[in-house]
Amino acid sequence: MSRRATLLLTGTAAASLVLAASIVSAQQTRRAPLRPTVPAYVAQQPAPDQPSASSFSATPDSVRDPAALIQDQPSAISRSAPPNASRPVRASGVRGVTQRQFRAPQPTVTGLPPSTPLPPPPRRNAATEEDPYAPLGLRLGSVVLKPAITNGVGYDTNPQRTAGSTRKGSPFSRHDAEVEIQSDWNVHELKGRLRGGYSEYFRDRDASRPDGEGNLDLRLDASRDTRILLETRARLDTQRPGSPDLTAAVTGRPLIYQYGASAGVTHDINRLQMTLRGSVDRSDYEDGKLSNGGIVSQRDRNQTQYGLRLRAAYEVTPGFKPFVQGEVDTREFDQAIDSSGYRRSSDGATGRVGSTFEISRQLTGEVSVGYQNRKYEDGRLRNLKGFIGDAAILWSPTPLTTVTLRGTSELGDTTIAGSSGTTVRRVSLEVAHALRRNLIVTGVTNFGRTEYDGQGLREDFSSYGARIEYKLTRTFAVRASFTQERLNSTAQGSDYTANVAQVGLRVQF
């Protein structure tokens, strides 16, 4: 029984082995072959003569030449190994053989170049500090008005500006009112200044007199290069009793009214600027009053002047613009024949050259010189001709000091018998210094000479003085001044000297 059992068990085991072998063979037969596009070395099928895995150490560091694992493997594409497959790869931690092991090593970045440091932020220019004592003005729509009123008292040693012992000093009161106008428009511009004053002398009522001046300018920007200029101007003054143009000794001071207007157009052609301007000016003289109640007529001095001016300026640099100017004018008197029997109407022609300049922020101005020739209707009056000029220079050597120099030379009219006219030259110098922001001291000096053509008559006028202004607030300021005037004339009994001192309070808005 035991032997049968042993044979039975042996046959059963053999049958089981045969059955297992057949199953394994069938499974290997049904397995799909590798795709022809996959290299054989990727599948990592060991070659028949390849050593078994048991001959290698289990640690990755023991693999010294991983390429040997895939050499001479069959491939459906090519039996030769890729070009990089034979390159030995030595790396720790290799767990298997993949394509990543055969790529070229990436370059090692040792460090980025040092970044350029950012430049320091530009220093911000300090904003121009606003004058804490300047008036703010009153806004009327888009126009800013800056009105001011000044009232003061003083003493004048010679109110009538007469010579010799006839002069008589007098205290006086002075009243001034003014307004500055400035537009605040994106285009166009309106600006101007109007001033009027009155001096009242307590001991000499005849010496009391008004004075004033004003101008108003309007610029219309027709286009980028074309502008229309409109101007109006007026001036009120008085004549001193000893003036050579007064044929008799008068009391009081006869008034002089001067006013006019002009219109022009300016066009820019690159750096060349052309300006054409026409003007009309009127002068009216008040009759003088004699001490006996009589009247000295001055209607023969009333006149109207028409002028036309052409100016060409070229901007060489932003601070230097020379110009050439030509002007013609006609003066027509209301009375064809004056009190001396002369026809005073005349025609004039003027040529002028000059330049505006800005050498620096501290030195700016305009200077021009020219020549004028005036021909009169009356053949007994020879032509009045001579050099003319204008100068206005502003120099600021320090932020606290300002020097202003002005000069002019012009030809004027007269009613003196046998004289064609006058040649007037004037120069003034003003130096202002701020001791403190609200304390300003100013020194002024003037000199003028008037020559009457054909008469040998000459008058030299000079003055010098000083004034001080102490600004309390934006609204209130205290002013004080002293001036000495002197006239030296070749005419007998016309010299005079006057000293004027005054103090006042200014209110501005």
Side-chain angles (χ1 to χ4, degrees):
M1 287 294 294
S2 61
R3 184 176 181 180
R4 290 180 179 180
T6 301
L7 291 174
L8 181 59
L9 292 173
T10 303
T12 302
S16 299
L17 292 174
V18 172
L19 180 59
S22 62
I23 292 173
V24 171
S25 177
Q27 289 178 352
Q28 291 180 354
T29 303
R30 289 194 304 267
R31 181 178 299 174
L34 293 174
R35 290 182 297 176
T37 58
V38 179
Y41 71 88
V42 175
Q44 298 188 14
Q45 297 177 0
D49 56 350
Q50 186 72 16
S52 62
S54 61
S55 62
F56 292 94
S57 173
T59 61
D61 292 336
S62 62
V63 180
R64 299 301 181 189
D65 190 6
L69 299 175
I70 58 174
Q71 290 179 354
D72 300 329
Q73 290 187 4
S75 173
I77 297 177
S78 175
R79 296 188 62 84
S80 61
N84 295 331
S86 60
R87 180 179 300 175
V89 178
R90 298 181 182 275
S92 60
V94 176
R95 296 182 180 274
V97 181
T98 62
Q99 289 182 341
R100 182 173 298 177
Q101 292 175 302
F102 307 107
R103 294 177 182 175
Q106 297 294 330
T108 302
V109 179
T110 57
L112 297 175
S115 59
T116 304
L118 295 177
R123 179 176 298 177
R124 303 178 65 180
N125 295 330
T128 303
E129 188 175 359
E130 180 186 1
D131 184 0
Y133 297 96
L136 299 177
L138 305 177
R139 180 171 293 274
L140 184 63
S142 57
V143 177
V144 178
L145 305 179
K146 294 183 178 180
I149 299 175
T150 304
N151 292 311
V153 294
Y155 187 84
D156 192 335
T157 61
N158 190 358
Q160 290 284 12
R161 303 300 188 261
T162 57
S165 59
T166 58
R167 64 183 183 182
K168 181 177 60 175
S170 172
F172 67 92
S173 63
R174 175 71 184 180
H175 313 280
D176 287 280
E178 64 180 75
V179 59
E180 293 185 7
I181 304 172
Q182 180 64 58
S183 64
D184 188 16
W185 303 336
N186 294 330
V187 294
H188 317 308
E189 183 184 24
L190 175 66
K191 63 180 181 179
R193 181 176 181 268
L194 304 175
R195 184 197 63 81
Y198 186 80
S199 299
E200 182 178 2
Y201 293 86
F202 303 138
R203 295 180 183 174
D204 191 351
R205 298 293 180 180
D206 292 336
S208 300
R209 55 188 178 268
D211 61 89
E213 60 184 349
N215 65 280
L216 191 63
D217 302 336
L218 174 62
R219 189 197 73 227
L220 301 176
D221 299 328
S223 65
R224 183 175 65 90
D225 298 323
T226 305
R227 296 171 295 281
I228 299 174
L229 308 176
L230 304 176
E231 303 173 6
T232 59
R233 52 194 168 271
R235 183 170 180 265
L236 176 63
D237 201 356
T238 58
Q239 293 177 271
R240 63 182 177 87
S243 173
D245 289 308
L246 291 173
T247 58
V250 299
T251 61
R253 302 177 68 99
L255 300 177
I256 303 175
Y257 304 92
Q258 294 177 327
Y259 47 93
S262 62
V265 59
T266 297
H267 183 71
D268 296 334
I269 307 173
N270 199 358
R271 293 189 176 185
L272 179 64
Q273 184 180 84
M274 304 293 295
T275 303
L276 181 64
R277 174 181 176 269
S279 62
V280 179
D281 291 280
R282 175 72 181 176
S283 297
D284 291 323
Y285 293 82
E286 184 185 35
D287 295 338
K289 297 179 181 180
L290 300 175
S291 57
N292 59 5
I295 297 296
V296 177
S297 177
Q298 294 195 96
R299 294 180 182 178
D300 57 345
R301 301 182 65 183
N302 298 341
Q303 60 168 294
T304 304
Q305 176 174 316
Y306 306 92
L308 183 64
R309 184 179 72 188
L310 178 63
R311 177 169 174 168
Y314 187 81
E315 186 180 24
V316 178
T317 63
F320 179 59
K321 182 186 288 187
F323 63 85
V324 178
Q325 177 179 300
E327 183 176 1
V328 294
D329 67 86
T330 299
R331 294 177 182 174
E332 295 184 357
F333 285 80
D334 293 354
Q335 295 184 2
I337 301 176
D338 65 4
S339 59
S340 301
Y342 290 89
R343 295 180 181 272
R344 293 287 178 178
S345 297
S346 62
D347 297 324
T350 307
R352 190 189 299 259
V353 296
S355 176
T356 59
F357 60 89
E358 184 179 354
I359 299 178
S360 65
R361 293 292 183 182
Q362 290 76 31
L363 184 60
T364 60
E366 178 177 331
V367 177
S368 66
V369 295
Y371 191 83
Q372 185 179 84
N373 184 15
R374 181 163 298 281
K375 182 179 180 181
Y376 295 89
E377 291 184 2
D378 199 314
R380 295 173 294 176
L381 300 176
R382 64 179 184 180
N383 291 2
L384 183 64
K385 52 188 176 182
F387 288 97
I388 61 173
D390 288 290
I393 301 174
L394 181 64
W395 180 40
S396 300
T398 68
L400 302 178
T401 306
T402 302
V403 180
T404 305
L405 176 65
R406 299 182 185 275
T408 182
S409 177
E410 58 186 6
L411 305 182
D413 292 311
T414 184
T415 55
I416 297 178
S419 177
S420 301
T422 62
T423 301
V424 182
R425 297 181 178 90
R426 292 185 294 266
V427 61
S428 66
L429 177 64
E430 179 178 304
V431 181
H433 181 73
L435 300 178
R436 299 182 62 181
R437 300 181 64 179
N438 59 335
L439 182 60
I440 302 173
V441 177
T442 305
V444 182
T445 181
N446 297 275
F447 178 81
R449 170 171 289 184
T450 303
E451 297 178 343
Y452 291 81
D453 181 70
Q455 295 297 314
L457 178 60
R458 186 188 68 206
E459 291 183 337
D460 292 336
F461 173 83
S462 62
S463 70
Y464 63 89
R467 64 176 180 264
I468 185 171
E469 181 178 15
Y470 182 68
K471 300 179 181 179
L472 304 175
T473 63
R474 289 184 184 270
T475 305
F476 299 99
V478 178
R479 290 183 172 183
S481 65
F482 173 82
T483 305
Q484 183 181 79
E485 300 179 6
R486 180 172 296 178
L487 178 70
N488 296 321
S489 176
T490 57
Q492 295 296 327
S494 297
D495 297 350
Y496 72 84
T497 301
N499 298 318
V500 183
Q502 63 178 335
V503 62
L505 177 65
R506 178 181 175 86
V507 181
Q508 59 188 12
F509 303 94

